[in-house]
Amino acid sequence: MWPGPEEGADAFGDPHAWQRQVSAFGEQYQSLMQEAFNRLWPSDAGASVYADMQESLRIGAEAMVVNAPAVYTVQMRLAQDQLRVWQNALRELMGESVPAVIEPSPEDRRFRDDAWHSHPFYRYILQQYLLFVRAVNELLANLGGLTPQTRHQLEFYARQYVNALSPSNFVSTNPEVVRKTLETRGQNLVEGLKRLREDLANSAEGLNVAMSDRSAFRLGENLAITPGEVIFENELMQLIQYHPSTDKVFKTPLLIVPPWINKYYVLDLRPDNSLVKWLVAQGHTVFMISWRNPGPEQRHLTWADYMQLGPIAAMGAIEQACGEKSVNLLSYCIGGTLAATTVAYLTSSLRGRKIRSVTYMATLQDFSDPGEIGVFLSEPVLAGIERQLDRDGYLDGRVMAFSFNLLRENDLFWSFYISNYLKGEAPAAFDLLYWNTDGTNLPAGTHGWYLRHMYRENRLVEPGGIELDGVKINLRKISTPSYFVSARDDHIAKWRSSYLGARLPKGPVTFVLSGSGHIAGIVNPPAKRKYGYWTHDEIFDEPDAWLEAATFQEGSWWPHWQAWMTDNRYADPGKVVAARHPGEGELTSIEPAPGRYVRQTIPEVLGVASTSEGEAGS
């Protein structure tokens, strides 16, 4: 039930209790303001984003002057609808039942509480807010004379603005928060400020909201628990060999190249959703690269270093471990981009046969349409990032995480803002969100080069557009069989963009489109029977033409990939050997999986304190 005025008065009937809460709230608030003041000045990267936003808004304002009739039309409609909402509110006070002028989308979880639709006050402010959002969107849609890039930036910044102003984000205009405040006599606000201060202390710039109970997880205990051994390491990575779970294994080993923007164990979370565990059970000898969490001392590392010290060094170690000169590659996200350059490098240096097949999961090779992340990669913003990288020697992974969260701000920022800070609730224990906040830094020598040469200038698709260790990279020369899998709702590696990469190799290519997004579309175990996927044998010039011709299949794409591997003899059922155990070859175990590198946290690497519970034990 919605609390009425009398019930609210009873909740705060004890003036002394309320005074104590006000005092506690004030103390927390002052402490928070001090923390916020200490973070007042942004970095070069942050300042360049703010400047770029201001420039985009300036251009938008000039466009509004030029498009005055369109602006007038939007304003008139807004004023008329606002008047209707006001009139309806008066009629409701008189006891009439009046339909809403505008309703939120059924998928909008911010306004699912019944009070938004039944209580006159919240019903009124919700409709006024939705009218404002619609007016902003109509205004942007009708502004002429804007370049596609400027329009894209304006739409992004406007979305951030209107979502930040949602009445669900404020104490007095969120019915759930008001109820909670009455029930707890304001203790939720005190707890919320405490959590906000802790999260600010664990943020580099912006606000990294805690998404999961960090004390609930321990790597090697309830995450990253597939048995294995670290058998090789260098300054950039550790190589894990997993223990077999079958008596016989395919002769050709499987090497996984994960991203280094996050940690590898997204592919090995729990036993029931671990891709690693599933691959081992299919009879593969699985090796995993675990990247180091770099700090200022690794500022010199380049993309070529990641290639040489990563997959190429791993292939050499695999040959020592089990005597095989060739491998199958399975790669993910930026690890896939690295795998593509590695295959092209080995092809041009006449060592392409070392790789029997290569799989790219949610991978960009053609960056002509990088998606919304492109908002942060205009020339002025990129120049600011480069200045910061040059000064610090690395990009703090928490800044990258904050940027990615803004691509889905309502789901990955504001929902946690409300539950953590306004409701004062502790985040639940969720393994995927724990991983999402367990980030890594990015070395200056690699990250700045990657952003400019690939994201900004899209040189990777140009024959010889980039050169690594004296070898000009040409993806069109790759004859290694390739399997591309993308996710239809991916907001990081848009599937139509990743499809363009499937048109580049000259060797045989299979493209598969999974349902869901960047993580769930890839980490989709068969037992769940979720999302489904699309397949078609032919690669068309346009991705939409491929999708129109494709056939939808139920369940996970994992068995389809396994059939592709075995049917084409990349993992040959006719060539199996006795199960290989770590340490049986020339390389002995260094330590049990998951190893030291994956346990390195950003505060630990940078030598700063963390207030997150369980951080040191992770």
Side-chain angles (χ1 to χ4, degrees), residues 39 41 43 199-208 388 394 396-400 402 602 606:
R39 297 172 176 275
W41 303 111
S43 64
D199 287 349
L200 272 172
N202 289 327
S203 302
E205 186 173 338
L207 175 62
N208 295 99
Q388 184 172 341
Y394 68 96
D396 194 303
R398 294 167 294 186
V399 175
M400 177 68 73
F402 178 67
I602 291 176
L606 301 181

Side-chain angles (χ1 to χ4, degrees), residues 523-567:
V523 183
N524 182 23
K528 301 290 187 181
R529 298 196 59 80
K530 294 175 68 175
Y531 308 131
Y533 60 98
W534 289 261
T535 62
H536 193 271
D537 292 338
E538 187 176 351
I539 301 296
F540 296 100
D541 287 340
E542 296 298 326
D544 287 318
W546 179 92
L547 182 58
E548 185 176 348
T551 302
F552 179 76
Q553 313 286 341
E554 296 285 351
S556 170
W557 61 271
W558 293 5
H560 181 273
W561 173 86
Q562 177 70 3
W564 176 79
M565 291 285 286
T566 56
D567 291 349

Side-chain angles (χ1 to χ4, degrees), residues 108-141:
D108 195 335
R109 293 181 290 180
R110 294 175 296 175
F111 307 114
R112 289 185 177 177
D113 188 272
D114 183 64
W116 290 112
H117 311 281
S118 60
H119 192 281
F121 172 70
Y122 296 107
R123 182 176 165 90
Y124 174 79
I125 62 173
L126 171 60
Q127 291 182 83
Q128 292 287 6
Y129 170 71
L130 294 176
L131 289 176
F132 168 68
V133 174
R134 187 178 70 183
V136 171
N137 292 335
E138 288 178 348
L139 182 62
L140 291 175

Side-chain angles (χ1 to χ4, degrees), residues 238-420:
Q238 289 188 315
L239 183 66
I240 300 170
Q241 180 181 355
Y242 291 95
H243 289 284
S245 61
T246 57
D247 293 333
K248 299 288 185 179
V249 295
F250 297 112
K251 187 172 184 293
T252 304
L254 179 68
L255 171 61
I256 303 178
V257 185
W260 58 87
I261 290 177
N262 289 99
K263 296 180 179 179
Y264 84 82
Y265 65 89
V266 68
L267 303 176
D268 185 30
L269 289 167
R270 304 183 312 272
D272 65 341
N273 68 355
S274 170
L275 177 59
V276 170
K277 182 177 183 295
W278 186 85
L279 291 168
V280 171
Q282 306 312 302
H284 296 279
T285 303
V286 179
F287 293 83
M288 172 73 77
I289 289 176
S290 174
W291 300 105
R292 180 176 187 165
N293 196 344
E297 297 80 9
Q298 287 76 45
R299 66 181 302 144
H300 63 281
L301 292 173
T302 65
W303 188 275
D305 291 325
Y306 267 84
M307 180 182 70
Q308 296 287 1
L309 297 174
I312 290 180
M315 284 186 277
I318 291 171
E319 184 176 352
Q320 289 181 279
C322 55
E324 292 297 321
K325 295 181 180 297
S326 61
V327 301
N328 291 303
L329 280 186
L330 180 67
S331 59
Y332 186 23
C333 192
I334 191 175
T337 310
L338 178 66
T341 58
T342 301
V343 177
Y345 175 87
L346 294 175
T347 298
S348 294
S349 57
L350 304 180
R351 290 180 287 166
R353 290 185 179 180
K354 291 181 69 67
I355 301 174
R356 288 181 56 80
S357 73
V358 56
T359 298
Y360 305 105
M361 302 185 294
T363 293
L364 289 179
Q365 297 179 20
D366 186 322
F367 292 80
S368 56
D369 183 9
E372 287 197 332
I373 194 67
V375 169
F376 299 118
L377 293 172
S378 65
E379 183 57 40
V381 174
L382 181 55
I385 294 174
E386 289 172 334
R387 288 194 299 272
Q388 184 172 341
L389 288 170
D390 184 61
R391 184 190 69 230
D392 297 340
Y394 68 96
L395 181 66
D396 194 303
R398 294 167 294 186
V399 175
M400 177 68 73
F402 178 67
S403 300
F404 274 114
N405 289 343
L406 290 184
L407 303 183
R408 294 180 58 188
E409 67 282 356
N410 284 333
D411 292 334
L412 297 178
F413 184 83
W414 290 114
S415 63
F416 293 98
Y417 178 95
I418 293 167
S419 61
N420 292 10

Side-chain angles (χ1 to χ4, degrees), residues 24 47 49 51 66 70 84 101 125 149 178 218 362 383 454 536 542 562 591 603:
V49 172
V66 175
R84 288 174 57 203
V101 175
I125 62 173
Q149 174 68 14
V178 171
R218 292 291 188 275
M454 296 190 184
H536 193 271
E542 296 298 326
Q562 177 70 3
E591 61 180 324

